Amino acid sequence: MGLRVLVTGGAGFLGSHLCEKLLQQGHDVLCVDNYFTGSKDNILHLLDHPRFEVIRHDVTFPLYVEVDRIYNLACPASPIHYQFDPVQTTKTSVHGAINMLGLAKRVKARILQASTSEVYGDPEVHPQTEDYWGRVNPIGIRSCYDEGKRCAETLFFDYWRQHQLEIKVVRIFNTYGPRMHPNDGRVVSNFIVQALKGQDITIYGDGMQTRSFCYVNDLIDAMMRMMESRVDFTGPVNIGNSGEYTMRQLAAVVIKLTGSKSQLIFKPIPQDDPKQRRPDISLAKKELNWSPTIPLEEGLNDTIQYFKDRI
Ligand code: NAD
Ligand code: UDP
Ligand code: UDP
């Protein structure tokens, strides 16, 4: 049966894929976005769909609509964009969560928060499990994002305890794929664009820091399973791919797949850049019967093709 589903941040990278999948499953989709980092181009192909609707709206302001499900994704996700106006970033996470939780409470909707592996900060526990409380600098340049997301998680769990809301919290690890913003500074988009243009590939620090990269389709599948999981499973649950790569390794794979002649150049490491990151996904496997299916090279090939068509 089709539900009425609100996706905040629906014109963004992940949001646009989610809207598409929800429509395919027969739901009515309401996409809310202020187009800060998202774009109409990402949802252009959905605009004619009879069950798709868009509202230009900033989630830091109240929103009155009638829905059954809320996916709360609104928030800039790349360091360049979330550090551009850090106060607005915290407001988006915190006021945005309060407004969407208030909405969920009024209409008795189930609500999912797109949280992040950044809640673990620069972790001493490796791989990261959900019961690890993290190591986050509260006053650094990444704090607007990390602490904003941590506070949003707090709000979700307080609305659950205080108002018995049906909440779902997913902690998303680095995800990549088509419709990543070409200039948002994230490593996968940077490396691919640089490789395709034959520019130097910018490695920050010594390039030995690690990340784990999940392809967007796998991620969306997990998010939707989480939304429809049993009522008393709130999460937080890690979602990501457990393959772990240094940035040097990632650069080598991108150079190989693009056949590029680009050289590596080394730039200073940004402040508080986590040294290692890999999700422990046992909980997602057990509760959601999910694990990622798309290997790095296959996902990168699709992403490379996407950027090729646009450069
Ligand atoms: P994105 O920047 O492409 O998407 C975010 C969307 O939110 C954009 O369309 C933007 O315009 C919109 N937005 C920002 N502020 C808003 C506001 N105040 N009101 C309404 N809309 C607003 O980034 P993404 O990668 O698609 O990330 C989506 C969500 O997933 C974010 O909450 C992000 O923190 C989370 N996440 C993503 C990753 C990843 O690797 N992609 C990892 C961890 C968490
Ligand atoms: N809110 C909203 N849409 C709704 C209901 C509430 O945007 O349909 C916002 C409203 O701004 C409110 C916030 O959500 O301040 C929190 O709502 P809640 O009912 O939890 O608390 P209130 O502040 O109303 O006591
Ligand atoms: N990074 C890099 N070169 C770039 C962009 C990023 O070496 O051009 C590094 C960055 O320092 C970090 C990793 O790649 O260690 C992932 O960065 P991204 O901004 O994609 O994600 P996050 O740090 O939020 O996990």
Side-chain angles (χ1 to χ4, degrees):
M1 194 197 65
L3 298 168
R4 297 164 302 174
V5 186
L6 166 62
V7 179
T8 75
F13 161 48
L14 297 180
S16 61
H17 286 275
L18 178 62
C19 288
E20 200 174 296
K21 268 279 148 50
L22 289 164
L23 287 170
Q24 279 169 17
Q25 291 200 348
H27 301 299
D28 275 31
V29 177
L30 176 57
C31 165
V32 163
D33 207 296
N34 69 350
Y35 302 115
F36 173 44
T37 51
S39 137
K40 276 192 188 153
D41 288 342
N42 289 337
I43 48 169
L44 212 53
H45 61 299
L46 305 177
L47 291 179
D48 286 338
H49 197 293
R51 282 182 279 101
F52 187 63
E53 205 177 334
V54 190
I55 305 180
R56 177 192 289 268
H57 174 80
D58 181 327
V59 294
T60 61
F61 297 101
L63 176 69
Y64 288 84
V65 291
E66 312 305 313
V67 291
D68 307 300
R69 299 278 187 270
I70 304 170
Y71 286 89
N72 189 36
L73 273 63
C75 184
S78 81
I80 291 185
H81 284 129
Y82 71 65
Q83 289 165 17
F84 171 76
D85 183 349
V87 173
Q88 175 66 15
T89 300
T90 302
K91 281 187 189 169
T92 293
S93 277
V94 177
H95 291 176
I98 291 173
N99 287 329
M100 292 310 105
L101 287 160
L103 169 62
K105 181 179 135 203
R106 182 179 61 81
V107 301
K108 298 188 170 51
R110 183 179 284 197
I111 181 166
L112 178 145
Q113 169 68 359
S115 190
T116 167
S117 53
E118 291 284 329
V119 301
Y120 301 122
D122 189 2
E124 312 104 318
V125 169
H126 192 75
Q128 291 78 55
T129 43
E130 289 86 353
D131 56 5
Y132 175 49
W133 290 355
R135 186 163 72 117
V136 173
N137 176 357
I139 57 168
I141 57 172
R142 292 174 87 99
S143 312
C144 58
Y145 184 74
D146 300 7
E147 297 288 19
K149 290 283 188 180
R150 287 171 66 98
C151 185
E153 286 199 9
T154 306
L155 284 161
F156 269 66
F157 279 85
D158 283 331
Y159 269 80
W160 171 64
R161 281 184 287 259
Q162 204 173 326
H163 300 298
Q164 292 74 51
L165 245 63
E166 290 184 18
I167 64 151
K168 303 280 174 186
V169 175
V170 294
R171 292 183 178 154
I172 302 171
F173 284 64
N174 299 59
T175 300
Y176 69 97
R179 302 197 202 124
M180 291 185 92
H181 197 301
N183 304 321
D184 77 355
R186 284 190 257 193
V187 69
V188 173
S189 42
N190 267 13
F191 284 4
I192 292 178
V193 170
Q194 290 161 347
L196 290 176
K197 289 185 170 169
Q199 297 167 344
D200 290 337
I201 293 198
T202 51
I203 305 264
Y204 300 162
D206 61 6
M208 295 309 287
Q209 69 274 35
T210 66
R211 294 291 186 277
S212 300
F213 299 101
C214 185
Y215 188 63
V216 58
N217 293 10
D218 279 333
L219 191 280
I220 299 300
D221 177 31
M223 255 171 122
M224 291 172 69
R225 282 171 190 249
M226 180 58 178
M227 181 62 105
E228 301 310 326
S229 62
R230 64 185 167 85
V231 158
D232 54 342
F233 182 58
T234 56
V237 61
N238 290 338
I239 302 185
N241 193 309
S242 35
E244 183 181 358
Y245 300 86
T246 66
M247 297 311 103
R248 279 175 185 257
Q249 287 173 322
L250 179 70
V253 178
V254 169
I255 287 173
K256 185 184 89 179
L257 296 178
T258 51
S260 174
K261 296 197 168 44
S262 293
Q263 305 289 316
L264 305 186
I265 54 162
F266 292 84
K267 299 255 176 131
I269 188 92
Q271 189 195 326
D272 296 335
D273 199 280
K275 281 179 278 305
Q276 53 179 2
R277 182 181 290 157
R278 169 156 64 97
D280 181 316
I281 53 171
S282 329
L283 186 62
K285 282 182 177 160
K286 176 167 157 270
E287 288 291 339
L288 310 178
N289 190 24
W290 171 88
S291 42
T293 58
I294 298 159
L296 184 66
E297 294 206 359
E298 185 182 329
L300 283 178
N301 272 327
D302 286 355
T303 315
I304 289 166
Q305 194 54 52
Y306 171 81
F307 282 113
K308 256 190 195 159
D309 296 342
R310 273 155 195 83
I311 284 172

